[in-house]
Amino acid sequence: MQLSTLFTAVLGATFIPQALTWGAVGHEVVATIAQMHLHPSVLPKLCAILDSDASDYDGPCHLATVATWADRIRRQSKYRWTGPLHYIGAADDFPSSSCAFPGSGGWKGRTHINVLNGIHNVTTVLQDYQERQHAGALTVEVAEYTQDALKFLIHFLGDMHQPLHLTGRERGGNGVKVSFDERVTNLHSLWDSLLIAQRLRTLPSNYSYPLPLPDVESNLRGTIYDPYIRRVIWEGILGKYEHELQSWITCPSANRLRVLPLPRWQRILLWFLGSEPKDGGLGVDDEIVCPYHWAQPVHALNCEIVWPAQLDQPSPNRLSYAQTEPENHACCEDSVLEFEDFEALRRQKNNYLELDIPEYSGRIKDEWIIEKLMAQGGIRLAAVLNWLFADNLDGGSELIRKL
């Protein structure tokens, strides 16, 4: 079987409409942080894989330029089968009252077609590419197929760190209207874009200036969010998270080996014998790459903060406003409105739950929840790419390169 055919068969061939992903800024921040932590031998190899698709680039090779590719192509007939690979949901999962991952009811849909299996499978594809390259057996077809796998990996690691991609309730929050900053939106869009946009509007002015870190500045692209990345690096990765980085890329011990999904009777037998797979029965985790292990605390945020309990209570009767946005306004491209435009927008009374309050958005800001998720996504993406492509990599702390 050709690799391209095998790839489609393994990852799935069914399209199910579902929540969109991190907005463009979220995905590109994750990709940029990852690029800053690549082993010096890795980026040239990644650029060589991506270079054959020059249309995806607006300048020098940068992972951020293809970070949203998987969203841009998912409506094309050729790639409709990739839709379910952007998320996962459990049958018993119902935040905020219950966060099952997966719980006794198991997973929704087909257990091999989801974001965690997507990460597992494209990593395997890229590993196979490296082995074939060393053996001198690459063909043009394999190189093109590998290019897609790399772009999917960059994207799926970002998706995994958006908590609403790990729950199926209300299509990951798309079906729940809320109010934020006196604007009607939905819970998923709030986490995709509006929380990040709020950060960009409130950044300290000193982050508009280049930092004395050449490895940071050389990977920035002159975007509106460059100061935001500087702050995440300076205060987060080089600050409050400095001693956590190694734990972010740690996987379960080697005795929890990658296994294939098993029939129910075999799973029961394994549980009875004390060797039940520790990755939700998906067969995606090993001692190097463990998306299920990494996703568990991200998913738990849905009950801890992401999904307010008030949404399941009678109408909060809280007055807010809905806005009609300017015609042709594109979601996630630039959520920062000019003050005059903001004042000119038509406002209508509504009683959706307002989330731009200290108990919700204030807590998310104070605890750096969004920033930590994107930092973790970037560090883990760098670690996976280093493991796959770095020359003379001994493992351990070298999986993430120090700035």
Side-chain angles (χ1 to χ4, degrees):
M1 181 182 293
Q2 292 182 342
L3 276 179
S4 56
T5 304
L6 177 61
F7 186 52
T8 303
V10 169
L11 292 184
T14 306
F15 174 77
I16 303 174
Q18 171 68 355
L20 294 176
T21 181
W22 278 115
V25 172
H27 273 291
E28 293 185 13
V29 168
V30 168
T32 302
I33 291 173
Q35 184 162 325
M36 292 171 179
H37 292 83
L38 293 178
H39 187 275
S41 66
V42 172
L43 186 60
K45 296 178 183 179
L46 303 182
C47 294
I49 293 173
L50 297 171
D51 188 55
S52 61
D53 192 359
S55 62
D56 277 326
Y57 293 97
D58 55 8
C61 176
H62 200 298
L63 301 186
T65 60
V66 296
T68 60
W69 172 85
D71 278 336
R72 297 199 303 269
I73 54 85
R74 62 188 292 184
R75 299 296 185 260
Q76 298 176 14
S77 58
K78 178 181 177 181
Y79 291 102
R80 283 179 183 168
W81 60 273
T82 68
L85 296 172
H86 294 255
Y87 58 89
I88 191 171
D92 297 329
D93 194 47
F94 196 84
S96 65
S97 60
S98 172
C99 274
F101 200 66
S104 60
W107 302 103
K108 290 182 178 179
R110 299 163 68 181
T111 58
H112 63 287
I113 307 176
N114 56 68
V115 66
L116 304 184
N117 275 93
I119 292 169
H120 163 90
N121 290 329
V122 295
T123 301
T124 301
V125 168
L126 293 170
Q127 185 178 11
D128 180 74
Y129 166 84
Q130 276 292 87
E131 293 173 355
R132 288 172 174 265
Q133 185 182 50
H134 291 314
L138 281 182
T139 67
V140 173
E141 182 181 2
V142 173
E144 180 181 0
Y145 163 64
T146 302
Q147 181 187 92
D148 281 5
L150 175 56
K151 289 186 283 189
F152 279 128
L153 179 62
I154 294 168
H155 188 87
F156 292 158
L157 256 297
D159 278 349
M160 193 195 78
H161 288 84
Q162 211 279 42
L164 288 166
H165 276 259
L166 304 179
T167 180
R169 184 184 177 188
E170 296 286 353
R171 298 182 300 116
N174 269 304
V176 178
K177 288 186 177 181
V178 295
S179 179
F180 187 77
D181 191 21
E182 301 185 341
R183 302 172 60 186
V184 172
T185 183
N186 65 67
L187 190 62
H188 195 99
S189 294
L190 172 62
W191 278 80
D192 264 358
S193 304
L194 296 181
L195 289 170
I196 298 176
Q198 187 180 65
R199 298 296 187 278
L200 299 183
R201 294 196 300 267
T202 58
L203 276 172
S205 59
N206 58 302
Y207 286 105
S208 297
Y209 301 97
L211 296 175
L213 294 170
D215 284 320
V216 171
E217 293 299 321
S218 64
N219 289 288
L220 298 177
R221 300 165 51 235
T223 64
I224 190 175
Y225 53 81
D226 282 359
Y228 187 45
I229 297 178
R230 292 187 185 108
R231 188 180 193 190
V232 172
I233 292 292
W234 195 251
E235 297 184 33
I237 291 175
L238 297 178
K240 61 182 69 181
Y241 306 135
E242 180 180 7
H243 300 297
E244 298 182 27
L245 302 185
Q246 189 61 41
S247 68
W248 290 359
I249 62 170
T250 299
C251 286
S253 59
N255 63 340
R256 296 175 180 179
L257 297 177
R258 180 180 295 164
V259 296
L260 295 174
L262 299 174
R264 182 175 178 82
W265 71 267
Q266 290 187 9
R267 293 202 305 270
I268 293 173
L269 178 61
L270 284 172
W271 175 82
F272 181 77
L273 296 175
S275 57
E276 169 74 2
K278 304 299 182 181
D279 59 2
L282 295 173
V284 297
D285 285 8
D286 59 26
E287 68 275 18
I288 300 295
V289 178
C290 47
Y292 175 81
H293 175 73
W294 293 336
Q296 284 181 295
V298 179
H299 170 261
L301 290 172
N302 284 302
C303 283
E304 294 172 14
I305 180 64
V306 176
W307 205 291
Q310 295 93 318
L311 288 175
D312 290 321
Q313 298 173 359
S315 174
N317 196 29
R318 188 188 300 241
L319 190 64
S320 184
Y321 295 93
Q323 296 185 147
T324 301
E325 296 188 345
E327 187 176 359
N328 297 326
H329 176 74
C331 173
C332 308
E333 290 183 0
D334 185 1
S335 300
V336 185
L337 298 175
E338 296 292 338
F339 179 76
E340 294 80 4
D341 294 333
F342 177 83
E343 289 296 308
L345 294 174
R346 180 170 60 86
R347 295 185 175 187
Q348 296 177 335
K349 292 181 180 180
N350 72 81
N351 64 348
Y352 293 116
L353 181 65
E354 175 62 52
L355 294 181
D356 191 15
I357 57 176
E359 297 81 2
Y360 191 83
S361 63
R363 178 187 167 190
I364 293 168
K365 179 180 179 180
D366 292 343
E367 296 182 14
W368 267 48
I369 293 175
I370 291 285
E371 290 75 17
K372 185 173 184 178
L373 288 169
M374 289 191 288
Q376 287 177 321
I379 292 295
R380 286 166 175 160
L381 176 57
V384 174
L385 293 173
N386 285 339
W387 174 68
L388 288 167
F389 294 103
D391 295 335
N392 302 318
L393 187 63
D394 296 327
S397 61
E398 290 189 31
L399 286 171
I400 48 174
R401 185 168 66 95
K402 302 295 184 181
L403 292 174

